[in-house]
Structure formats: structure tokens, C-alpha cells
Amino acid sequence: MRSKVLKSCLAFAIALAASLGPVEFAHAQAAKGPSGLPLPRFVTLKSKRVNLRIGPGTDYAVSWMYLKSGLPVEIIQEYDNWRRIRDADGTEGWVNQSLLSGQRAAIAAPWMKTKGKGVFVNLRREAQPSASIIAKLEPGVMLTIGECNGDWCRAETDGATGWVAQSEIWGAYPGEAFK
């Protein structure tokens, strides 16, 4: 009985935190979680099979299973060894921190997937809008990111390496710079 009450209280707390999500995002990179790392932040899935759970623990049901390592996700909350994540489609749930990696990746303009054919994200030779185009990426293509300068990210996909506008990817915040 006690475990049911605790799970109900935890579920209520999680629902309350979820309703505060937009407020939390407004403080992007300003807040720190219990780990001492910024919230929210982008990471990648370390394992090829990752269970997304409805709560922070193995007693909670699996709502989704990811089958691709290296997929970028956003950590939006921390609880003990569990991280509440959000993927590029907006799906949220809990994952054990051991299944996450600090490596960075991104998805090319996932919000443009439904715009039809002929819509691309340009991978450029240099970090400037006038630089030559190395590749035209379809929305939804996964990229490995090496660094971002706040406007551009150095990215690689299928052997092509170049620069992509930071505003055209999901996996780095606007204005975020890192190496």
C-alpha cells in the first residue's frame, strides 16, 4: 500500500514538473540539476536499445524503446540516477543515466519533415552562408557534432564533414557555443 501511495505522489510530482516545462526551458542553460550540470542540455543515447519509462525507476512501465545509439536527446530533469529526456519529436520519459553519453549529435530540421520534397539543409564547406555547399541534407538526417560557435556547427554525416547553420538543427541551443 505504501509503495502505491509513494508512486502516486511521485507521479503527481512528475506531472506537476511536466506542466512547468515551458518555464524551465525559459531558463535554458541557467539552471543546474542535482548532478551540477546545466538543465536542459543535449546528450546522445549510448546504447543501441534504450527503454523510455514513464517514471524514474525500473518499476515503471516502458512506454517506448529506442533502437539507435547516438540519437540526440535533451535532458530536461534529473532524479537520482534517472534523467527525464525529450526527443526531437517531443516524446518524453525517463532513462537511466548510464545509457546516455555526453557526445553531441543533431538532427537536421526535424520540423521540416512534412514540408514535402525539395526541402534541404545545406552542409557547407565553411561557417558562412556564402560558402560552397558540400551536401544537401534531407530533414531528419542525423549528424555528429564536433563544435558549435553560436551560429554554426561543425558536423559530419556519412563521411561528409562541414558546417551547418545552428538554427537548422535540433541538438544545439540557439547561441550555444562549445568545442
Side-chain angles (χ1 to χ4, degrees), residues 11-26:
F12 175 75
I14 291 168
L16 178 62
S19 70
L20 297 176
V23 172
E24 178 180 86
F25 185 76

Side-chain angles (χ1 to χ4, degrees), residues 28-69:
Q29 303 302 326
K32 292 203 185 284
S35 68
L37 297 171
L39 286 177
R41 69 182 178 275
F42 283 104
V43 295
T44 54
L45 300 181
K46 190 187 295 185
S47 180
K48 206 187 280 192
R49 293 174 59 100
V50 175
N51 289 331
L52 186 70
R53 296 185 178 274
I54 62 171
T58 55
D59 291 342
Y60 289 92
V62 173
S63 61
W64 187 257
M65 183 185 290
Y66 293 103
L67 299 174
K68 183 155 183 72
S69 64

Side-chain angles (χ1 to χ4, degrees), residues 41-47 50-52 66 70-78 81-86 93-103:
R41 69 182 178 275
F42 283 104
V43 295
T44 54
L45 300 181
K46 190 187 295 185
S47 180
V50 175
N51 289 331
L52 186 70
Y66 293 103
L71 185 72
V73 294
E74 182 181 31
I75 295 177
I76 56 175
Q77 189 177 355
E78 297 178 345
N81 290 330
W82 293 85
R83 302 297 179 256
R84 184 165 170 226
I85 64 166
R86 176 175 26 232
W94 292 87
V95 171
N96 190 283
Q97 71 174 2
S98 67
L99 299 171
L100 301 172
S101 166
Q103 294 196 350

Side-chain angles (χ1 to χ4, degrees), residues 2-171:
R2 176 179 271 172
S3 101
K4 283 186 179 183
V5 170
L6 286 174
K7 284 184 181 178
S8 295
C9 289
L10 185 56
F12 175 75
I14 291 168
L16 178 62
S19 70
L20 297 176
V23 172
E24 178 180 86
F25 185 76
H27 300 291
Q29 303 302 326
K32 292 203 185 284
S35 68
L37 297 171
L39 286 177
R41 69 182 178 275
F42 283 104
V43 295
T44 54
L45 300 181
K46 190 187 295 185
S47 180
K48 206 187 280 192
R49 293 174 59 100
V50 175
N51 289 331
L52 186 70
R53 296 185 178 274
I54 62 171
T58 55
D59 291 342
Y60 289 92
V62 173
S63 61
W64 187 257
M65 183 185 290
Y66 293 103
L67 299 174
K68 183 155 183 72
S69 64
L71 185 72
V73 294
E74 182 181 31
I75 295 177
I76 56 175
Q77 189 177 355
E78 297 178 345
Y79 176 78
D80 198 22
N81 290 330
W82 293 85
R83 302 297 179 256
R84 184 165 170 226
I85 64 166
R86 176 175 26 232
D87 66 21
D89 295 326
T91 302
E92 293 182 11
W94 292 87
V95 171
N96 190 283
Q97 71 174 2
S98 67
L99 299 171
L100 301 172
S101 166
Q103 294 196 350
R104 298 295 292 266
I107 297 176
W111 57 88
M112 293 171 40
K113 284 184 194 177
T114 60
K115 300 287 183 187
K117 296 196 184 279
V119 176
F120 299 101
V121 172
N122 294 323
L123 185 66
R124 297 185 178 273
R125 189 165 311 283
E126 297 167 17
Q128 358 180 355
S130 60
S132 60
I133 297 171
I134 296 172
K136 289 184 172 276
L137 309 173
E138 291 184 358
V141 167
M142 230 170 75
L143 306 159
T144 302
I145 298 177
E147 66 178 286
C148 291
N149 65 19
D151 295 315
W152 295 88
C153 293
R154 185 158 179 78
E156 179 183 348
T157 184
D158 291 331
T161 302
W163 293 86
V164 64
Q166 207 158 322
S167 62
E168 295 184 326
I169 60 170
W170 188 88

